Amino acid sequence: MSTKRGHDDSRSPRRPTDVFLCGIATDACVLATAIAVFDAGLTPWVVCDACASNANRTPPQRLHNAALMLLDRFVGTGHLIDIEQARSAVAATAARHLGVSEKSG
């Protein structure tokens, strides 16, 4: 495809469509980032077993679970995945973009 300047942009980087998230503060940074990614028109994938929460007064697992409940509501149940699902999705995406079979990788 040609740009306005006549340059061939077929080799230009593709805009990302999906963002995989993990982090220490499920109830803060991960939650806020997932919502921002969603609001930006991208698809957030929260890798639940690669996230955790920490707290002084509230049990960390309780905060983590509460954040996952909110994420389920805000970005969708299907977007809360585990590490194996993330691995498979990344491999499939890479194979698709590289034009190779996942099994040959």
Side-chain angles (χ1 to χ4, degrees):
M1 172 195 308
S2 294
T3 64
K4 290 180 187 176
R5 294 184 181 145
H7 295 28
D8 180 7
D9 69 349
S10 60
R11 292 188 193 183
S12 65
R14 294 183 179 141
R15 182 178 185 268
T17 58
D18 300 80
V19 178
F20 292 85
L21 302 167
C22 61
I24 297 300
T26 314
D27 56 301
C29 300
V30 175
L31 177 65
T33 303
I35 292 169
V37 165
F38 182 82
D39 287 345
L42 303 172
T43 303
W45 298 97
V46 179
V47 186
C48 299
D49 53 350
C51 295
S53 291
N54 56 10
N56 291 330
R57 291 182 263 175
T58 305
Q61 190 62 42
R62 186 172 167 196
L63 286 176
H64 174 75
N65 291 341
L68 293 178
M69 183 179 68
L70 290 172
L71 285 163
D72 178 66
R73 174 92 168 112
F74 294 154
V75 301
T77 304
H79 298 276
L80 305 180
I81 60 175
D82 63 27
I83 290 172
E84 288 307 315
Q85 291 169 308
R87 233 181 243 152
S88 295
V90 169
T93 300
R96 190 172 54 253
H97 288 292
L98 297 173
V100 299
S101 167
E102 291 178 56
K103 294 180 181 179
S104 68

